Amino acid sequence: MDRLTFDDKGNINVIEPTHEGIDLLSAKPTGKLKKAYSLPDLAYGAKVTASSFYDERFAPENITGHNNGTLWRAGKTIWDLNNDKTHITIDLGKIQTFTQVWTEFEHPTFFYQYSIFTSTDSISWNCFADRKGNTMAGSPMIDEGKTRARYIR
């Protein structure tokens, strides 16, 4: 989302598209939104791997870049939710304690079904959130708990 400005007659001025965003969608919110987003984003810029991705426009690293104009999309041949083959893994770089995972989905009016797992070693995984039966729309979806982990899948 980019800022709209108007001329003296109330017409919208030409909009120059950017990936910077404003306020809530900005990488650096201001004012009241700064307080709402005061918790550190441990995943910002973290290393990301995925079971697959559709093409270069939907690369895994898009999910940690604070850019709502980009996203990750799984490859079309591996999309198999029944067998849990589709996944993305964030490496936080070191074991950290956290209490929330915010997941922003492409369509905030759709409901998504998913699970979030955490791990200290990328071998043994613990369930942080089980939303496989979710019927609530929204984005971001905020899952809460308390865990220590290096990896989020």
Side-chain angles (χ1 to χ4, degrees):
M1 177 184 291
D2 289 299
R3 188 170 307 280
L4 295 177
T5 59
F6 301 87
D7 65 19
D8 293 339
K9 296 178 182 175
N11 298 310
I12 298 174
N13 290 321
V14 174
I15 301 165
E16 296 295 330
T18 71
H19 284 282
E20 297 302 314
I22 57 172
D23 293 330
L24 181 60
L25 299 179
S26 172
K28 295 180 180 179
T30 59
K32 292 179 184 177
L33 294 172
K34 185 174 184 176
K35 184 176 180 183
Y37 281 80
S38 63
L39 295 174
D41 182 350
L42 302 178
Y44 179 68
K47 181 181 176 188
V48 182
T49 57
S51 56
S52 66
F53 59 98
Y54 191 80
D55 63 30
E56 293 301 321
R57 297 171 299 160
F58 303 102
E61 57 271 13
N62 287 345
I63 72 164
T64 60
H66 284 183
N67 186 339
N68 286 3
T70 62
L71 63 116
W72 165 71
R73 183 170 288 151
K76 54 188 168 184
T77 59
I78 194 147
W79 190 260
D80 185 354
L81 294 175
N82 293 328
N83 293 317
D84 293 327
K85 291 182 180 178
T86 303
H87 64 271
I88 193 156
T89 303
I90 301 169
D91 180 352
L92 300 175
K94 64 181 180 180
I95 296 173
Q96 302 196 50
T97 300
F98 53 92
T99 58
Q100 295 181 335
V101 174
W102 289 36
T103 308
E104 294 186 37
F105 291 104
E106 180 178 11
H107 302 287
T109 58
F110 292 9
F111 66 88
Y112 293 85
Q113 297 176 334
Y114 61 94
S115 298
I116 298 173
F117 292 88
T118 60
S119 173
T120 57
D121 59 10
S122 78
I123 297 168
S124 299
W125 295 88
N126 298 307
C127 186
F128 183 83
D130 182 354
R131 296 279 190 123
K132 289 185 283 192
N134 181 48
T135 58
M136 182 173 67
S139 183
M141 295 296 287
I142 302 172
D143 293 291
E144 296 184 327
K146 186 171 182 179
T147 192
R148 286 182 45 80
R150 175 176 172 172
Y151 302 93
I152 302 170
R153 176 177 283 178

